[in-house]
């Protein structure tokens, strides 16, 4: 079964075709990230306008790269939440129009759940993919770390899961993006901080970790601690965001702050994941979401648990449509197609 996935929840417009929930046949992504870079974060109106311009060419490119034609496509899967309302609308309306005009079943996909399913893609002929050699098995502990979400989820089977814990304030990726802004590093913050952290001392500054009940997270406190550390170093209380503050920090100071923040944020994730691993004894452990692209996080987590962790290819960690198409296959196996008349976006959708 070949599923066309469509993703437009934030600043990436993506389409991909996945066969039988494991084989990536072709994909295309257009990002409006460069347009947002000078604002230090995604501007919803710019993202939505960009989706309108590129969504049809992106779908056509994905089809062409997969060698498929419309009659080959058995179903369409589209992200309907969580995300930016204007961005989600473009993807959903496009998918509905295609489903009606081409008479294809349509499946609505939860973006956060889809991130986990990037780990189920194990085969492709497309160049430059480093894929896991087997699909995760259940029970599966998923560590979801993205720009919008930080969650620990125990999947007993497909579509049967318990949310063990989640962030009570900022998502981890969001905290990386804000810390990058404090330090004057380019957006998105995760990769910028990871690169600079390599030159810094991860134990230079002891950033406080929030004490949260159970498996919950908090990243707002450590982010504010970064701001206070930077202010203390230069002896002046610039407000956030400030273009003056990062100019007063030297490279070594920025590198030490970046490394210390990254260490502290990842220790928080790894501590929760390790505790959940030993409590629930899952058969597999998967890392998902944009922050899963971090090699440092992969290494730290790998050292903390006695089994090999599953990580998607870097291109499948950040927003993409292959994960949407993959989850679409499993939904098509278990559920009836969604009703087009009542299907709408849900920007605040949660797991
Ligand atoms: O999953 P994603 O593409 O979008 C959401 O669904 O939110 O995640 C984007 C986030 C951004 O906050 C970005 O800073 C972070 O993923 N990110 C990273 C890395 N690459 C991307 N964070 C840490 N280290 C990285 N290498
Ligand atoms: Zn995402």
């Amino acid at each position: 079964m070949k599923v066309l996935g469509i993703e437009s929840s934030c600043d990436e417009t993506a389409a991909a075709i996945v066969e039988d929930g494991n084989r990536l046949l072709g994909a295309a992504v257009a990002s409006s990230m460069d347009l947002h870079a000078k604002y230090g974060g995604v501007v919803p109106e710019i993202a939505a306008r960009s989706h309108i311009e590129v969504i049809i060419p992106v779908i056509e490119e994905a089809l062409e790269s997969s060698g498929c034609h419309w009659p080959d496509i058995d179903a369409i899967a589209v992200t309907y939440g969580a995300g930016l309302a204007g961005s989600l609308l473009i993807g959903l309306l496009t998918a509905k129009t295609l489903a009606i005009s081409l008479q294809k079943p349509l499946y609505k996909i939860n973006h956060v759940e889809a991130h986990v399913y990037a780990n189920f893609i194990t085969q492709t002929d497309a160049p430059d993919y480093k894929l896991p050699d087997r699909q995760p098995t259940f029970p599966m502990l998923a560590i979801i770390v993205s720009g919008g979400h930080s969650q620990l989820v125990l999947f007993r089977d497909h579509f049967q899961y318990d949310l063990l814990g989640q962030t009570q304030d900022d998502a981890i990726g969001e905290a990386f993006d804000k810390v990058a802004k404090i330090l004057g590093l380019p957006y998105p913050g995760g990769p910028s901080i990871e690169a600079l952290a390599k030159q810094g001392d991860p134990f230079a500054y002891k950033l406080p970790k929030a004490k949260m009940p159970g498996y919950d997270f908090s990243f707002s406190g450590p982010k504010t601690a970064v701001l206070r550390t930077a202010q203390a170093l230069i002896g002046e209380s610039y407000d956030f965001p400030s273009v003056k503050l990062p100019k007063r920090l030297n490279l070594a100071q920025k590198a030490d702050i970046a490394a210390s923040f990254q260490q502290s944020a990842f220790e928080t994730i790894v501590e929760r994941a390790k505790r959940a691993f030993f409590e629930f004894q899952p058969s597999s452990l998967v890392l998902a979401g944009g922050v899963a692209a971090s090699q440092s996080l992969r290494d730290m987590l790998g050292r903390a648990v006695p089994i090999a962790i599953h990580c998607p290819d870097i291109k499948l960690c950040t927003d993409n449509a292959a994960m949407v198409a993959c989850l679409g296959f499993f939904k098509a196996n278990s559920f009836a197609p969604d009703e087009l008349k009542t299907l709408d976006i849900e920007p605040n959708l949660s797991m």
Side-chain angles (χ1 to χ4, degrees):
M1 179 183 198
K2 295 188 178 78
V3 180
L4 164 70
I6 298 174
E7 156 64 39
S8 71
S9 65
C10 193
D11 56 344
E12 262 95 32
T13 322
I17 294 93
V18 171
E19 186 171 22
D20 297 337
N22 73 334
R23 187 172 179 78
L24 175 62
L25 300 180
V29 186
S31 176
S32 57
M33 194 185 284
D34 293 350
L35 302 176
H36 307 287
K38 68 177 170 204
Y39 305 103
V42 176
V43 182
E45 290 79 6
I46 295 178
R49 183 180 295 255
S50 164
H51 287 305
I52 296 179
E53 286 168 5
V54 301
I55 195 154
I56 299 297
V58 162
I59 292 170
E60 284 171 344
E61 187 188 331
L63 276 171
E64 199 181 317
S65 70
S66 70
C68 293
H69 302 279
W70 282 113
D72 305 322
I73 302 298
D74 300 296
I76 300 173
V78 63
T79 303
Y80 77 112
L84 302 170
S87 293
L88 289 165
L89 259 181
I90 314 298
L92 188 72
L93 286 175
T94 306
K96 274 189 181 187
T97 308
L98 289 170
I100 293 168
S101 57
L102 299 167
Q103 299 194 319
K104 308 281 182 192
L106 181 65
Y107 294 89
K108 63 176 187 183
I109 298 295
N110 179 329
H111 177 85
V112 183
E113 201 177 336
H115 267 301
V116 174
Y117 278 75
N119 285 288
F120 284 77
I121 297 170
T122 56
Q123 293 175 30
T124 189
D125 291 333
D128 305 331
Y129 278 86
K130 199 170 174 299
L131 298 177
D133 53 6
R134 63 200 159 82
Q135 290 189 325
T137 47
F138 296 99
M140 165 179 86
L141 179 63
I143 302 156
I144 306 167
V145 279
S146 75
H149 296 84
S150 310
Q151 297 180 323
L152 214 54
V153 183
L154 184 67
F155 284 74
R156 300 185 194 283
D157 204 340
H158 295 293
F159 313 112
Q160 290 174 30
Y161 50 74
D162 295 317
L163 181 61
L164 302 180
Q166 61 184 332
T167 182
Q168 294 301 315
D169 39 58
D170 290 357
I172 183 168
E174 186 185 352
F176 267 91
D177 294 339
K178 286 181 184 163
V179 166
K181 213 170 187 178
I182 295 170
L183 300 179
L185 304 175
Y187 173 83
S192 315
I193 289 182
E194 184 172 35
L196 187 59
K198 290 198 173 86
Q199 303 169 37
D201 172 6
F203 303 103
Y205 302 103
K206 194 159 171 39
L207 302 171
K209 290 198 192 82
K211 289 195 175 48
M212 303 297 289
Y215 292 106
D216 280 346
F217 307 99
S218 163
F219 293 105
S220 173
K223 172 202 71 192
T224 306
V226 164
L227 181 62
R228 301 283 171 257
T229 303
Q231 288 169 334
L233 278 171
I234 56 179
E236 206 159 337
S237 295
Y238 289 115
D239 285 340
F240 174 78
S242 161
V243 284
K244 289 186 190 146
L245 188 153
K247 290 190 182 132
R248 301 266 310 268
L249 293 168
N250 64 39
L251 192 63
Q253 289 170 325
K254 287 185 189 181
D256 281 348
I257 295 176
S260 301
F261 172 74
Q262 180 174 275
Q263 176 72 22
S264 159
F266 288 169
E267 273 175 9
T268 298
I269 297 284
V270 170
E271 186 275 328
R272 307 294 191 276
K274 185 176 172 182
R275 202 151 36 88
F277 179 84
F278 286 105
E279 180 173 349
F280 297 102
Q281 312 258 326
S283 158
S284 62
L285 184 64
V286 309
L287 200 52
V291 183
S294 167
Q295 190 58 46
S296 321
L297 176 58
R298 293 175 178 207
D299 293 345
M300 278 174 75
L301 195 60
R303 286 193 295 269
V305 291
I307 59 169
I309 55 171
H310 291 254
C311 303
D313 180 88
I314 304 280
K315 293 181 283 305
L316 302 178
C317 286
T318 46
D319 290 348
N320 66 88
M323 65 186 195
V324 174
C326 179
L327 179 52
F329 166 79
F330 290 102
K331 278 201 95 171
N333 269 348
S334 300
F335 302 102
D338 284 294
E339 190 57 60
L340 297 180
K341 272 196 203 118
T342 51
L343 177 54
D344 204 353
I345 58 164
E346 283 191 38
N348 297 320
L349 183 68
S350 61
M351 288 286 281

